[in-house]
Amino acid sequence: DIQMTQSPSSLSASVGDRVTITCRSSQSISRYLNWYQQRPGKAPKLLIYAASSLHSGVPSRFSGSGSGTDFALTISSLQPEDFATYYCQQPYTTPHTFGGGTKVELK
Amino acid sequence: QVQLQESGPGLVKPSQTLSLTCTVSGASISTGSYYWSWIRQPAGKGLEWIGRIYTGGSTNYNPSLKSRVTISADTSRNQFSLNLSSVTAADTAVYYCAREDDILPGFHSDALDIWGQGTMVTVSS
């Protein structure tokens, strides 16, 4: 299985901050990398697919980058509704493994 | 719009089989090029991909669960199902169904774009 490692596992930030979360895969996955946001008690929502493509309806303050084994999700200006947990996922090969998650909390 | 809704028992006894159904509305599971997937999440933990069934009926499973998992589809009811046998307390989790779509074919764009709200399953005697 491909292992997905996210860092940090949690972070504290303020509204308006720029936040970057990283995700590393145990082998090259080209640009097969997705990012999801999960608010407490809710199902995950797709934010970014194919490493850097913004899913329909997702605010432009979210962006993704990377290829191969190293990827990043950046929120350019954190908004109150962005305090949530973020997961990366590789759909390169089954099982489509997820990272352990990064919880973004209010400082 | 396309919606997914999980249903099934909230409590399952150890060693029994967990059976969940995902009802799809707004689209037919027998048309298009989609995978219909199951994912689970133990309380306070991360997401685990369980497996998927393709529109044409082929399946893929997580090797960690493969000997216990079956995913099937009932096209007449527009539903797909998860059966997980010989459950233990470690199978206690919120179970989600989701649609996997190749959003931009040819651009590495397979993603879980539509999710159900999830259903909590507890394994306990």
Side-chain angles (χ1 to χ4, degrees):
Chain A
D1 299 1
I2 296 176
Q3 307 304 313
M4 306 300 293
T5 303
Q6 284 183 239
S7 61
S9 56
S10 65
L11 64 90
S12 297
S14 301
V15 173
D17 284 355
R18 181 182 181 88
V19 167
T20 297
I21 298 166
T22 63
C23 178
R24 175 167 288 177
S25 57
S26 59
Q27 67 184 72
S28 177
I29 55 173
S30 185
R31 294 178 60 82
Y32 283 90
L33 194 283
N34 303 321
W35 289 99
Y36 301 86
Q37 176 194 65
Q38 186 178 34
R39 297 189 176 109
K42 300 295 186 182
K45 290 176 56 177
L46 177 63
L47 297 176
I48 301 280
Y49 61 92
S52 61
S53 294
L54 204 63
H55 187 48
S56 175
V58 175
S60 59
R61 63 181 179 272
F62 291 93
S63 63
S65 62
S67 65
T69 61
D70 293 295
F71 302 87
L73 172 70
T74 297
I75 309 172
S76 60
S77 178
L78 204 61
Q79 298 302 301
E81 60 269 29
D82 300 337
F83 292 97
T85 300
Y86 295 84
Y87 293 93
C88 61
Q89 182 218 18
Q90 63 80 15
Y92 182 78
T93 187
T94 59
H96 290 176
T97 42
F98 291 88
T102 297
K103 186 173 184 179
V104 177
E105 299 175 298
L106 181 62
K107 183 184 289 184
Chain B
Q1 80 265 28
V2 180
Q3 293 183 311
L4 283 67
Q5 177 68 59
E6 305 88 350
S7 59
L11 181 64
V12 181
K13 288 181 168 34
S15 80
Q16 293 191 341
T17 296
L18 179 161
S19 295
L20 296 175
T21 296
C22 183
T23 301
V24 179
S25 58
S28 170
I29 65 168
S30 58
T31 60
S33 300
Y34 302 111
Y35 285 95
W36 303 95
S37 306
W38 288 97
I39 302 97
R40 70 180 182 179
Q41 183 174 38
K45 296 191 177 181
L47 299 164
E48 181 179 26
W49 187 87
I50 298 171
R52 64 182 184 175
I53 185 165
Y54 186 57
T55 304
S58 62
T59 54
N60 301 104
Y61 300 128
N62 191 323
S64 68
L65 301 169
K66 187 173 184 178
S67 62
R68 300 195 290 131
V69 172
T70 302
I71 297 174
S72 59
D74 183 340
T75 56
S76 66
R77 298 189 178 194
N78 216 37
Q79 297 173 333
F80 63 105
S81 298
L82 169 70
N83 278 357
L84 181 65
S85 63
S86 305
V87 296
T88 69
D91 296 308
T92 294
V94 175
Y95 285 75
Y96 295 100
C97 59
R99 185 184 80 170
E100 179 186 325
D101 185 20
D102 188 4
I103 301 172
L104 283 177
F107 287 90
H108 315 98
S109 61
D110 304 276
L112 298 162
D113 64 339
I114 302 173
W115 294 65
Q117 65 185 23
T119 188
M120 179 69 203
V121 178
T122 301
V123 178
S124 176
S125 56

Coordinates of all heavy atoms in Angstrom, one line a residue, chain A residues 1 29-34 36 38 41-46 48-51 53 55 87 89 91 94-100, chain B residues 39 41 44-49 52 60-64 96 100 103-104 106-118:
Chain A
D1 N 0.8 -1.2 0.0 CA 0.0 0.0 0.0 C 0.9 1.3 0.0 O 2.0 1.3 0.5 CB -0.9 0.0 1.3 CG -1.9 -1.1 1.4 OD1 -1.8 -2.0 0.5 OD2 -2.6 -1.1 2.4
I29 N 3.3 9.3 -7.1 CA 1.9 9.1 -7.5 C 1.6 10.2 -8.6 O 0.4 10.5 -8.8 CB 1.0 9.3 -6.3 CG1 1.2 10.6 -5.5 CG2 1.1 8.1 -5.4 CD1 0.1 10.8 -4.4
S30 N 2.6 10.7 -9.2 CA 2.4 11.7 -10.3 C 1.6 12.9 -9.7 O 2.0 13.4 -8.7 CB 1.7 11.1 -11.5 OG 1.6 12.0 -12.5
R31 N 0.5 13.2 -10.2 CA -0.4 14.2 -9.7 C -1.7 13.7 -9.2 O -2.7 14.4 -9.1 CB -0.6 15.3 -10.7 CG 0.7 16.1 -11.1 CD 0.4 17.1 -12.2 NE -0.5 18.1 -11.8 CZ -0.3 19.2 -11.1 NH1 0.9 19.4 -10.6 NH2 -1.2 20.0 -10.8
Y32 N -1.7 12.4 -8.9 CA -2.9 11.7 -8.4 C -3.1 12.0 -6.9 O -2.8 11.2 -6.0 CB -2.9 10.2 -8.6 CG -3.2 9.8 -10.0 CD1 -2.2 9.6 -10.9 CD2 -4.5 9.5 -10.4 CE1 -2.5 9.2 -12.2 CE2 -4.8 9.1 -11.7 CZ -3.8 8.9 -12.6 OH -4.1 8.6 -13.9
L33 N -3.5 13.2 -6.5 CA -3.6 13.6 -5.1 C -4.8 14.5 -4.9 O -5.0 15.5 -5.7 CB -2.3 14.3 -4.7 CG -2.0 14.6 -3.3 CD1 -2.8 15.8 -2.7 CD2 -2.2 13.4 -2.4
N34 N -5.6 14.1 -4.0 CA -6.8 14.9 -3.6 C -6.7 15.4 -2.2 O -6.1 14.9 -1.4 CB -8.0 14.0 -3.8 CG -8.2 13.4 -5.1 OD1 -7.9 14.0 -6.1 ND2 -8.6 12.2 -5.2
Y36 N -9.3 16.9 1.0 CA -10.7 17.0 1.5 C -10.7 17.8 2.8 O -9.7 17.8 3.5 CB -11.2 15.6 1.8 CG -11.3 14.7 0.6 CD1 -10.2 13.9 0.2 CD2 -12.4 14.6 -0.2 CE1 -10.2 13.1 -0.9 CE2 -12.5 13.7 -1.3 CZ -11.3 13.0 -1.6 OH -11.4 12.2 -2.7
Q38 N -13.0 18.3 6.3 CA -14.0 17.7 7.1 C -14.3 18.5 8.3 O -13.4 18.7 9.2 CB -13.7 16.2 7.5 CG -14.8 15.5 8.3 CD -14.5 14.1 8.7 OE1 -13.3 13.8 9.0 NE2 -15.5 13.2 8.6
G41 N -18.5 16.3 12.8 CA -19.8 15.7 12.6 C -20.3 15.7 11.2 O -21.4 15.3 11.0
K42 N -19.4 16.1 10.2 CA -19.9 16.1 8.8 C -19.0 15.2 8.0 O -17.9 14.8 8.4 CB -19.8 17.5 8.3 CG -20.6 18.5 9.1 CD -22.1 18.3 8.9 CE -22.9 19.4 9.5 NZ -24.4 19.1 9.5
A43 N -19.6 14.9 6.8 CA -18.8 14.1 5.8 C -17.7 15.0 5.2 O -17.8 16.2 5.1 CB -19.7 13.6 4.7
P44 N -16.6 14.3 4.8 CA -15.6 15.1 4.1 C -16.1 15.7 2.8 O -17.1 15.2 2.2 CB -14.5 14.0 3.7 CG -14.7 13.0 4.8 CD -16.2 12.9 5.0
K45 N -15.5 16.8 2.4 CA -15.9 17.5 1.2 C -14.6 17.6 0.3 O -13.6 18.0 0.8 CB -16.4 18.9 1.4 CG -17.8 18.9 2.1 CD -18.2 20.3 2.4 CE -18.2 21.2 1.3 NZ -18.7 22.6 1.6
L46 N -14.8 17.4 -1.0 CA -13.6 17.5 -1.9 C -13.3 19.0 -2.1 O -14.2 19.8 -2.5 CB -14.0 16.8 -3.2 CG -13.0 16.9 -4.4 CD1 -11.7 16.2 -4.0 CD2 -13.5 16.3 -5.7
I48 N -9.7 19.9 -3.6 CA -8.7 19.9 -4.7 C -8.6 18.5 -5.2 O -8.5 17.5 -4.4 CB -7.4 20.3 -4.1 CG1 -7.4 21.7 -3.5 CG2 -6.3 20.3 -5.2 CD1 -7.4 22.9 -4.4
Y49 N -8.6 18.3 -6.5 CA -8.3 17.1 -7.2 C -7.1 17.2 -8.2 O -6.8 18.4 -8.6 CB -9.5 16.5 -7.9 CG -10.1 17.3 -9.0 CD1 -9.6 17.2 -10.3 CD2 -11.0 18.3 -8.7 CE1 -10.1 18.0 -11.3 CE2 -11.5 19.1 -9.7 CZ -11.1 18.9 -11.0 OH -11.6 19.7 -12.0
A50 N -6.5 16.1 -8.5 CA -5.3 16.2 -9.5 C -4.3 17.2 -9.0 O -3.7 17.9 -9.8 CB -5.8 16.5 -10.9
A51 N -4.1 17.2 -7.7 CA -3.0 18.0 -7.0 C -3.3 19.5 -6.9 O -3.0 20.1 -5.9 CB -1.7 17.7 -7.6
S53 N -6.2 21.2 -9.0 CA -7.5 21.6 -9.6 C -8.5 21.9 -8.5 O -8.8 21.0 -7.7 CB -8.0 20.6 -10.6 OG -7.1 20.5 -11.7
H55 N -12.0 22.1 -7.0 CA -13.3 21.5 -7.2 C -14.4 22.6 -7.3 O -14.3 23.7 -6.7 CB -13.7 20.5 -6.1 CG -15.0 19.7 -6.4 ND1 -15.2 19.1 -7.6 CD2 -16.0 19.5 -5.6 CE1 -16.4 18.5 -7.5 NE2 -16.9 18.7 -6.3
Y87 N -7.6 16.3 4.9 CA -7.0 15.0 4.5 C -6.6 15.0 3.1 O -7.3 15.5 2.2 CB -8.1 13.9 4.7 CG -8.5 13.6 6.1 CD1 -9.6 14.2 6.6 CD2 -7.8 12.7 6.9 CE1 -10.1 14.0 7.9 CE2 -8.2 12.5 8.2 CZ -9.3 13.1 8.7 OH -9.8 12.8 10.0
Q89 N -5.4 12.4 -0.1 CA -5.8 11.0 -0.5 C -5.1 10.8 -1.8 O -5.1 11.6 -2.7 CB -7.3 10.8 -0.6 CG -7.7 9.4 -1.0 CD -8.9 9.4 -2.0 OE1 -9.2 10.4 -2.6 NE2 -9.5 8.2 -2.1
P91 N -5.4 8.6 -5.3 CA -6.2 7.6 -6.1 C -5.4 7.0 -7.2 O -5.9 6.5 -8.2 CB -7.3 8.6 -6.7 CG -6.5 9.9 -6.9 CD -5.5 9.9 -5.8
T94 N -5.2 1.2 -5.9 CA -5.9 0.8 -4.8 C -5.0 0.0 -3.8 O -4.1 -0.7 -4.2 CB -7.1 -0.2 -5.2 OG1 -6.5 -1.3 -5.9 CG2 -8.1 0.6 -6.0
P95 N -5.3 0.1 -2.5 CA -6.3 0.9 -1.8 C -6.0 2.4 -1.9 O -4.8 2.8 -1.7 CB -6.3 0.4 -0.4 CG -4.8 -0.1 -0.2 CD -4.4 -0.6 -1.5
H96 N -7.0 3.2 -2.0 CA -6.8 4.6 -2.2 C -6.6 5.3 -0.8 O -7.5 5.8 -0.2 CB -8.0 5.2 -2.9 CG -8.1 4.9 -4.3 ND1 -9.2 5.3 -5.1 CD2 -7.3 4.2 -5.1 CE1 -9.0 4.8 -6.3 NE2 -7.9 4.2 -6.4
T97 N -5.4 5.2 -0.3 CA -5.1 5.6 1.1 C -5.2 7.1 1.3 O -4.9 7.9 0.4 CB -3.7 5.1 1.4 OG1 -2.8 5.3 0.3 CG2 -3.8 3.6 1.7
F98 N -5.6 7.4 2.6 CA -5.6 8.8 3.1 C -4.5 9.1 4.0 O -3.9 8.2 4.6 CB -6.9 9.0 3.9 CG -8.2 8.9 3.1 CD1 -8.8 7.7 2.9 CD2 -8.8 10.1 2.6 CE1 -10.0 7.6 2.1 CE2 -9.9 10.0 1.8 CZ -10.6 8.8 1.6
G99 N -4.1 10.4 4.1 CA -3.2 10.8 5.1 C -3.9 10.8 6.5 O -5.1 10.7 6.5
G100 N -3.2 11.0 7.5 CA -3.7 10.9 8.8 C -4.5 12.2 9.3 O -5.2 12.1 10.3
Chain B
I39 N -16.1 4.1 2.7 CA -15.0 4.7 3.5 C -15.5 4.6 4.9 O -16.7 4.9 5.2 CB -14.7 6.1 3.1 CG1 -14.3 6.2 1.6 CG2 -13.6 6.7 4.0 CD1 -15.4 6.6 0.7
Q41 N -14.6 5.7 9.3 CA -13.8 6.6 10.2 C -14.1 6.2 11.6 O -15.2 6.6 12.1 CB -14.1 8.0 9.9 CG -13.3 9.0 10.7 CD -13.6 10.4 10.2 OE1 -14.7 10.8 9.9 NE2 -12.5 11.2 10.2
G44 N -12.8 9.9 16.3 CA -11.6 10.6 16.6 C -10.4 10.3 15.7 O -9.3 10.7 16.0
K45 N -10.6 9.4 14.7 CA -9.5 9.0 13.9 C -9.7 9.4 12.4 O -10.6 10.1 12.1 CB -9.3 7.4 14.0 CG -9.0 7.0 15.5 CD -8.6 5.6 15.5 CE -8.2 5.2 17.0 NZ -7.8 3.8 17.0
G46 N -8.7 8.9 11.6 CA -8.7 9.3 10.2 C -9.6 8.4 9.4 O -10.3 7.5 9.8
L47 N -9.6 8.6 8.1 CA -10.4 7.9 7.1 C -9.7 6.7 6.6 O -8.5 6.7 6.3 CB -10.7 8.9 5.9 CG -11.4 10.2 6.3 CD1 -11.3 11.2 5.2 CD2 -12.9 9.9 6.6
E48 N -10.5 5.6 6.4 CA -10.0 4.4 5.8 C -10.8 4.0 4.6 O -12.0 3.9 4.7 CB -10.0 3.3 6.8 CG -9.5 1.9 6.3 CD -9.5 0.8 7.3 OE1 -10.3 0.8 8.2 OE2 -8.7 -0.1 7.1
W49 N -10.2 3.8 3.5 CA -10.8 3.4 2.3 C -11.1 1.9 2.3 O -10.2 1.1 2.6 CB -9.9 3.7 1.1 CG -10.5 3.5 -0.3 CD1 -11.2 4.4 -1.0 CD2 -10.3 2.4 -1.1 NE1 -11.5 3.9 -2.2 CE2 -11.0 2.6 -2.3 CE3 -9.7 1.1 -0.9 CZ2 -11.0 1.7 -3.4 CZ3 -9.7 0.2 -2.0 CH2 -10.4 0.5 -3.2
R52 N -14.6 -0.4 -3.5 CA -15.5 0.2 -4.4 C -16.0 -0.8 -5.4 O -15.5 -1.8 -5.6 CB -14.8 1.4 -5.2 CG -13.6 0.9 -6.0 CD -12.8 2.0 -6.7 NE -11.8 1.4 -7.5 CZ -11.0 2.2 -8.3 NH1 -11.1 3.5 -8.4 NH2 -10.1 1.6 -9.1
N60 N -13.0 -3.5 -6.2 CA -11.7 -3.4 -5.6 C -11.8 -3.3 -4.1 O -12.7 -2.5 -3.7 CB -10.9 -2.2 -6.1 CG -10.7 -2.1 -7.6 OD1 -11.4 -1.4 -8.3 ND2 -9.8 -3.0 -8.1
Y61 N -11.0 -4.0 -3.3 CA -11.1 -3.9 -1.9 C -9.8 -3.6 -1.3 O -8.7 -3.9 -1.8 CB -11.6 -5.3 -1.4 CG -12.9 -5.8 -1.9 CD1 -13.1 -7.0 -2.4 CD2 -14.0 -4.9 -1.8 CE1 -14.3 -7.5 -2.9 CE2 -15.3 -5.4 -2.2 CZ -15.4 -6.6 -2.8 OH -16.6 -7.0 -3.3
N62 N -9.8 -3.0 -0.1 CA -8.6 -2.8 0.7 C -8.1 -4.2 1.2 O -8.9 -5.0 1.8 CB -9.0 -1.9 1.9 CG -7.7 -1.5 2.7 OD1 -6.7 -2.2 2.8 ND2 -7.8 -0.2 3.1
P63 N -6.9 -4.5 0.9 CA -6.3 -5.8 1.3 C -6.4 -6.1 2.8 O -6.6 -7.2 3.2 CB -4.9 -5.8 0.9 CG -4.9 -4.8 -0.3 CD -5.9 -3.8 0.1
S64 N -6.4 -5.0 3.6 CA -6.5 -5.2 5.0 C -7.9 -5.8 5.5 O -8.0 -6.3 6.6 CB -6.2 -3.9 5.8 OG -7.3 -3.0 5.5
Y96 N -19.2 5.8 5.5 CA -19.6 6.7 4.5 C -19.7 5.9 3.1 O -18.8 5.1 2.8 CB -18.6 7.8 4.3 CG -18.5 8.8 5.5 CD1 -17.5 8.7 6.4 CD2 -19.4 9.8 5.7 CE1 -17.3 9.6 7.4 CE2 -19.3 10.7 6.7 CZ -18.3 10.6 7.6 OH -18.1 11.4 8.6
E100 N -17.0 8.1 -6.7 CA -15.7 8.4 -7.2 C -15.9 8.7 -8.7 O -16.4 7.9 -9.5 CB -14.7 7.3 -7.1 CG -13.3 7.6 -7.6 CD -12.4 6.4 -7.6 OE1 -12.5 5.6 -6.6 OE2 -11.6 6.3 -8.5
I103 N -13.0 13.3 -12.8 CA -13.6 14.6 -13.1 C -13.1 15.2 -14.4 O -13.9 15.8 -15.2 CB -13.3 15.6 -11.9 CG1 -13.9 15.0 -10.6 CG2 -13.9 17.0 -12.2 CD1 -13.5 15.8 -9.4
L104 N -11.8 15.1 -14.7 CA -11.2 15.5 -15.9 C -10.5 14.4 -16.5 O -9.3 14.2 -16.3 CB -10.3 16.7 -15.7 CG -10.9 18.1 -15.4 CD1 -9.8 19.1 -15.2 CD2 -11.8 18.5 -16.6
G106 N -8.1 11.9 -18.1 CA -6.8 12.1 -18.7 C -5.9 13.1 -17.9 O -4.7 13.3 -18.2
F107 N -6.5 13.5 -16.7 CA -5.7 14.5 -15.9 C -5.6 14.1 -14.5 O -5.6 14.9 -13.6 CB -6.4 15.9 -16.0 CG -6.2 16.6 -17.4 CD1 -7.1 16.4 -18.4 CD2 -5.1 17.4 -17.6 CE1 -6.9 17.0 -19.6 CE2 -4.9 18.0 -18.8 CZ -5.8 17.8 -19.8
H108 N -5.5 12.8 -14.2 CA -5.2 12.3 -12.9 C -6.3 12.7 -11.9 O -6.0 13.1 -10.8 CB -3.8 12.7 -12.3 CG -2.7 12.7 -13.3 ND1 -2.3 13.7 -14.1 CD2 -1.9 11.6 -13.7 CE1 -1.3 13.4 -14.8 NE2 -1.0 12.1 -14.6
S109 N -7.6 12.7 -12.3 CA -8.6 13.4 -11.6 C -9.6 12.5 -10.9 O -10.7 13.0 -10.6 CB -9.3 14.4 -12.5 OG -9.9 13.7 -13.6
D110 N -9.3 11.3 -10.6 CA -10.2 10.5 -9.9 C -10.4 11.0 -8.5 O -9.3 11.2 -7.8 CB -9.7 9.0 -9.8 CG -9.5 8.4 -11.2 OD1 -10.4 8.0 -11.8 OD2 -8.3 8.5 -11.6
A111 N -11.6 11.3 -8.0 CA -11.8 11.8 -6.7 C -13.2 11.5 -6.2 O -14.1 11.3 -7.0 CB -11.6 13.3 -6.7
L112 N -13.3 11.5 -4.9 CA -14.6 11.2 -4.2 C -15.3 12.5 -4.1 O -15.1 13.3 -3.2 CB -14.4 10.6 -2.8 CG -13.7 9.3 -2.8 CD1 -13.1 8.9 -1.5 CD2 -14.6 8.2 -3.3
D113 N -16.2 12.8 -5.1 CA -16.8 14.1 -5.2 C -18.1 14.3 -4.5 O -18.6 15.4 -4.3 CB -16.9 14.5 -6.7 CG -17.8 13.7 -7.5 OD1 -18.1 12.5 -7.1 OD2 -18.3 14.2 -8.6
I114 N -18.8 13.2 -4.3 CA -20.1 13.2 -3.6 C -20.1 12.2 -2.5 O -19.8 11.0 -2.7 CB -21.3 13.0 -4.6 CG1 -21.2 14.1 -5.7 CG2 -22.6 13.1 -3.8 CD1 -22.3 13.8 -6.8
W115 N -20.5 12.6 -1.3 CA -20.5 11.7 -0.1 C -21.9 11.7 0.5 O -22.6 12.7 0.5 CB -19.5 12.3 1.0 CG -18.1 12.3 0.6 CD1 -17.5 13.0 -0.4 CD2 -17.1 11.5 1.2 NE1 -16.1 12.7 -0.4 CE2 -15.8 11.9 0.6 CE3 -17.0 10.6 2.3 CZ2 -14.6 11.3 1.0 CZ3 -15.8 10.1 2.7 CH2 -14.6 10.4 2.0
G116 N -22.2 10.6 1.1 CA -23.3 10.5 2.0 C -23.0 11.1 3.3 O -21.9 11.5 3.6
Q117 N -24.0 11.3 4.2 CA -23.8 11.9 5.5 C -23.1 11.0 6.5 O -22.6 11.5 7.5 CB -25.1 12.4 6.0 CG -26.1 11.3 6.4 CD -27.5 11.8 6.9 OE1 -27.9 12.9 6.5 NE2 -28.2 11.0 7.6
G118 N -23.1 9.7 6.2 CA -22.4 8.8 7.1 C -23.4 8.2 8.1 O -24.4 8.8 8.5

